Amino acid sequence: MTGRLYGLGLGPGDPELVTLKALRLLRAAQVVAYPAPKGGDSFARSIVAEWITPAQREIAIPFPMRPGPPPAALYDDAAEIIAAALDAGEDVAFLCQGDPFFYGSFAPIFTRLAARYPVTIAPGVSSLVACAAAAATPLVQRDETVTVIPATLPEAELARRLAECDSAAIIKLGRHAAKVQHALGGLGLLGDAIYVERASQARERVARFAEIDPASVPYFAMALVRRSRE
Ligand SMILES: C[S@@+](CC[C@H](N)C(=O)[O-])C[C@H]1O[C@@H](n2cnc3c(N)ncnc32)[C@H](O)[C@@H]1O
């Protein structure tokens, strides 16, 4: 019998936001897999480091540090390493920051393995709601809609989508922050935008996005914009 693959959402960074379910499944797995930057530490692993035991085998999947999506071959190789453990009858817990299916690195592993192995997903607290909580601002109310926009889009596309939405969460800010500030400024929305960096983590920072130096913006940051209808 093969093992079972678990996609575990671990939340935005604060270990207190790991769900009881994810923790139970993590503790029961023989193998723990996670993405890790080449030569660096895995952020997902760091959230639950205190609960991983020496008896569990760890598989660090090396992600390149360069910008842009990792090559498909990286996911092919990672899926086959995980498949070998599953074929050996071991349960594999794949660790994901936030939620596994909200821009999570688990999705490409899932698509490669879901037809071959039993899979269970434990949803996690996503950065989308963690950032709204950190900013102490409602994301949406009543019949409003929320649009999630990756900052990696070209500026014209960002502006087009921002022009249409009630509320927006602009993710993957990092080196795209200046472009996003410019797009928001062009729409008269920069003054309404809240910047949230490292929500729920020790170095959490919340500020008006207009006051942020774009050169200082890390990857774990987003901007929230909400047109008030009140
Ligand atoms: C590839 S997406 C992964 C999202 C993750 N799966 C989730 O559910 O939150 C990474 C982006 O999520 C946002 N993000 C994740 N964690 C965050 C945090 N703690 N604070 C602020 N933004 C965060 C950032 O915009 C970051 O660039």
Side-chain angles (χ1 to χ4, degrees):
M1 209 169 95
T2 70
R4 179 175 285 268
L5 175 62
Y6 294 92
L8 303 187
L10 303 179
D14 179 352
E16 287 193 0
L17 293 176
V18 175
T19 65
L20 294 174
K21 180 165 186 160
L23 184 54
R24 175 175 61 77
L25 296 174
L26 166 67
R27 284 174 150 161
Q30 290 90 38
V31 178
V32 181
Y34 43 80
K38 264 186 185 153
D41 293 331
S42 160
F43 180 56
R45 186 190 184 283
S46 74
I47 298 171
V48 288
E50 64 188 289
W51 295 297
I52 297 175
T53 70
Q56 293 176 301
R57 185 159 69 85
E58 297 189 37
I59 300 174
I61 297 163
F63 271 61
M65 293 293 280
R66 59 174 173 68
L74 186 148
Y75 291 114
D76 293 342
D77 293 349
E80 286 320 305
I81 293 168
I82 291 169
L86 295 167
D87 285 336
E90 295 177 306
D91 290 336
V92 178
F94 189 96
L95 309 184
C96 291
Q97 189 261 347
D99 181 85
F101 281 166
F102 182 73
Y103 295 96
S105 48
F106 180 65
I109 300 294
F110 171 82
T111 53
R112 283 163 175 78
L113 298 178
R116 291 160 58 192
Y117 302 98
V119 182
T120 296
I121 316 293
V125 175
S126 170
S127 56
L128 184 61
V129 288
C131 285
T137 184
L139 198 56
V140 267
Q141 295 185 90
R142 298 182 299 275
D143 59 349
E144 294 172 353
T145 60
V146 62
T147 307
V148 179
I149 307 176
T152 47
L153 291 176
E155 184 171 337
E157 186 61 14
L158 283 172
R160 187 181 73 77
R161 290 175 188 258
L162 284 165
E164 288 173 355
C165 63
D166 294 327
S167 176
I170 308 165
I171 65 167
K172 302 187 181 184
L173 270 188
R175 63 198 178 87
H176 302 281
K179 176 180 68 180
V180 175
Q181 283 181 335
H182 193 257
L184 286 167
L187 294 164
L189 291 172
L190 185 55
D192 297 330
I194 303 172
Y195 171 81
V196 184
E197 176 181 317
R198 298 186 176 95
S200 88
Q201 302 166 28
R203 290 160 65 202
E204 175 181 292
R205 181 180 176 206
V206 179
R208 286 164 42 83
F209 192 30
E211 290 165 6
I212 293 295
D213 172 4
S216 72
V217 173
Y219 179 70
F220 285 110
M222 79 169 67
L224 298 174
V225 193
R226 181 160 174 254
R227 281 194 184 84
S228 175
R229 291 206 243 153
E230 284 161 1

